[in-house]
């Protein structure tokens, strides 16, 4: 990582710009303390992209993303764009970025910080020590399958269609990602499907089983998605790596995030192409935008993932994670994770606390 690297910042909508502003502080601390050259370029995306150019994913934004080593995204979407045609909705920008950058693997860690074990809606003894990694397939499945759309039939009635498709090579490459990351963790993978009903996920189960033959150190289990949803609230600590399809991963990762206390805490990495994309898993939260109450920690932790996965700097990732942990241990909380006796801070102050402590740590 000796040459200058280019990072595209895509603040997007709602609380996106606020959390990206705090993440920028973290990147700048890393840059100055470690004497790295990190070129940051900010571009519009989502609703902001639509307002600027008429498209949620403007051409120049996509080009900047493709030309950079990593992309850090805030969030997209808001009520003012909900009635636009499907092709113009802010969410299309995310799907466009994922597929154009070839980001087929989405890593979503749901790890509980000790200090927050009382912030979950589940009992502390059920979630204490929880450390799950959801590996979600991101460029296939029902999100991208053809045919799709809504058609009007000759009798005037309408028919909506989406298609769940996976090829064996798409399944094999995401299974390898899950097995490879599991090797560095507790060596357990649960592959989640609906093989009792959907042929496509029957193939998923078959290919995952076949690929597993090359990973004899890994303990592989298969589970139906409905059972997994239940087990995640019954006994979440049985899970280490969860490997699953695009749509099941979308749903299960939101569920897993709440086990950690707040969806405002979870970062994510989308990898598989030459540019990685990093984003908090929470959305744009338009109801709290502009009030300095958003939790910037998921985006700050996403910066950590960026250093780990795009720049091979696990040390920086670990330092950021440790500083976040320490700030939480000192009792600082944004509103979403606030509990009795803790010190309430806003988005900006939380970003300052983390960046100041990181500055003295690096
Ligand atoms: C996510 C989001 C997106 C998805 C939406 C905003 C398109 O829910 O990243 O989980 O469904 O993938
Ligand atoms: Mg989602």
């Amino acid at each position: 990582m000796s040459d200058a690297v280019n990072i595209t910042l895509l603040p997007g909508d709602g609380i996106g710009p606020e959390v990206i502003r705090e993440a920028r502080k973290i990147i700048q601390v890393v840059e100055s303390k470690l004497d790295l050259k990190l070129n940051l370029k900010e571009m519009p995306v989502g609703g902001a992209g639509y307002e600027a150019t008429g498209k949620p994913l403007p051409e120049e934004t996509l080009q900047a993303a493709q030309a950079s080593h990593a992309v850090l995204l805030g969030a997209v979407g808001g009520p003012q764009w909900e009635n636009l045609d499907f092709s113009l909705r802010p969410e299309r920008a995310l799907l466009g970025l994922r597929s154009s950058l070839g980001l087929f693997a989405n890593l979503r860690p749901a790890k509980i910080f000790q200090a927050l074990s009382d912030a979950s809606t589940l009992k502390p003894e059920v979630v204490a020590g929880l450390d799950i990694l959801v590996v979600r397939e991101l460029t296939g499945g029902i999100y991208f399958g053809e045919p799709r759309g809504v058609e009007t039939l000759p009798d005037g009635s309408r028919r909506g269609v989406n298609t769940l498709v996976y090829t064996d090579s798409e399944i094999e490459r995401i299974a390898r990602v899950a097995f490879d990351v599991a090797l560095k963790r507790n060596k357990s993978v649960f592959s989640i499907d609906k093989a009792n009903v959907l042929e496509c996920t029957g193939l998923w189960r078959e290919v995952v089983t076949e690929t597993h033959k090359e990973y004899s150190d890994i303990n592989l289990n298969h589970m139906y998605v409905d059972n997994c949803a239940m087990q995640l609230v019954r006994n979440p600590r049985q899970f280490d790596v969860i490997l699953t399809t695009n749509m099941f991963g979308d749903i299960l990762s939101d569920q897993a995030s709440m086990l950690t206390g707040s969806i405002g805490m979870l970062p994510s990495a989308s990898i598989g192409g030459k540019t990685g994309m990093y984003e908090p898993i929470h959305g744009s939260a338009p109801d709290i935008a502009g009030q300095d109450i958003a939790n910037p920690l998921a985006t700050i932790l996403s910066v950590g993932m960026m250093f780990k996965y795009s720049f091979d700097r696990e040390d920086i990732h670990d330092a950021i994670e440790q500083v976040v942990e320490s700030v939480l241990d000192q009792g600082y909380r944004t509103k979403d994770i606030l509990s009795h006796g803790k010190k309430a801070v806003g988005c900006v102050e939380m970003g300052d606390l983390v960046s100041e402590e990181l500055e003295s740590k690096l």
Side-chain angles (χ1 to χ4, degrees), residues 268-285:
S268 77
S270 301
I271 57 174
K274 83 179 188 357
T275 304
M277 184 160 82
Y278 302 85
E279 54 181 308
I281 86 157
H282 60 69
S284 56

Side-chain angles (χ1 to χ4, degrees), residues 65-97:
Q66 282 167 333
S68 59
H69 298 88
V71 175
L72 185 69
L73 185 137
V76 296
Q80 63 270 54
W81 303 293
E82 261 163 25
N83 294 323
L84 288 174
D85 183 74
F86 239 79
S87 62
L88 296 175
R89 297 232 188 121
E91 291 77 10
R92 299 307 301 176
L94 262 187
L95 302 176
L97 282 163

Side-chain angles (χ1 to χ4, degrees), residues 102-143:
L103 305 174
F104 68 85
N106 185 216
L107 312 183
R108 299 188 160 187
K111 184 172 167 180
I112 199 154
F113 288 94
Q114 182 65 35
L116 292 184
S117 46
D118 62 350
S120 174
T121 47
L122 296 193
K123 297 192 189 99
E125 63 267 30
V126 175
V127 294
L130 184 90
D131 184 0
I132 298 176
L133 179 68
V134 178
V135 177
R136 168 187 178 193
E137 199 290 327
L138 203 60
T139 51
I142 199 165
Y143 271 52

Side-chain angles (χ1 to χ4, degrees), residues 130-332:
L130 184 90
D131 184 0
I132 298 176
L133 179 68
V134 178
V135 177
R136 168 187 178 193
E137 199 290 327
L138 203 60
T139 51
I142 199 165
Y143 271 52
F144 291 91
E146 301 279 347
R148 63 186 300 149
V150 179
E151 60 180 353
T152 303
L153 301 174
D155 68 359
S157 63
R158 286 181 303 161
R159 181 171 175 268
V161 186
N162 286 96
T163 308
L164 174 62
V165 206
Y166 274 114
T167 62
D168 49 7
S169 60
E170 283 176 311
I171 301 167
E172 184 185 331
R173 68 181 181 177
I174 189 72
R176 284 186 189 282
V177 171
F179 293 138
D180 287 335
V181 294
L183 283 174
K184 297 188 191 147
R185 298 171 48 100
N186 288 331
K187 302 189 173 55
S188 153
V189 173
F190 277 79
S191 174
I192 310 303
D193 60 42
K194 189 69 187 173
N196 51 343
V197 178
L198 304 173
E199 289 85 347
C200 179
T201 70
L203 177 67
W204 177 279
R205 186 175 285 219
E206 229 176 83
V207 175
V208 170
T209 304
E210 189 60 31
T211 309
H212 174 241
K213 289 185 180 151
E214 290 171 41
Y215 292 86
S216 53
D217 288 348
I218 301 282
N219 185 25
L220 171 67
N221 286 284
H222 301 278
M223 193 181 260
Y224 297 136
V225 62
D226 49 350
N227 186 22
C228 179
M230 186 272 278
Q231 296 293 341
L232 268 175
V233 285
R234 192 186 76 91
N235 175 19
R237 276 181 310 197
Q238 67 187 290
F239 297 106
D240 175 23
V241 173
I242 290 180
L243 159 65
T244 193
T245 63
N246 203 341
M247 187 160 76
F248 294 162
D250 177 45
I251 299 165
L252 295 174
S253 61
D254 266 28
Q255 191 182 343
S257 74
M258 252 337 270
L259 304 174
T260 70
S262 168
I263 195 165
M265 291 297 301
L266 292 205
S268 77
S270 301
I271 57 174
K274 83 179 188 357
T275 304
M277 184 160 82
Y278 302 85
E279 54 181 308
I281 86 157
H282 60 69
S284 56
D287 52 321
I288 62 161
Q291 301 172 40
D292 191 33
I293 55 178
N295 183 348
L297 293 178
T299 314
I300 289 172
L301 291 166
S302 300
V303 171
M305 292 190 90
M306 173 178 83
F307 281 108
K308 176 169 174 176
Y309 291 102
S310 278
F311 305 135
D312 204 18
R313 291 296 301 258
E314 197 157 351
D315 55 330
I316 300 176
H317 166 271
D318 293 351
I320 292 174
E321 203 174 86
Q322 282 156 18
V323 169
V324 167
E325 176 137 47
S326 155
V327 167
L328 293 171
D329 285 344
Q330 292 161 51
Y332 296 105

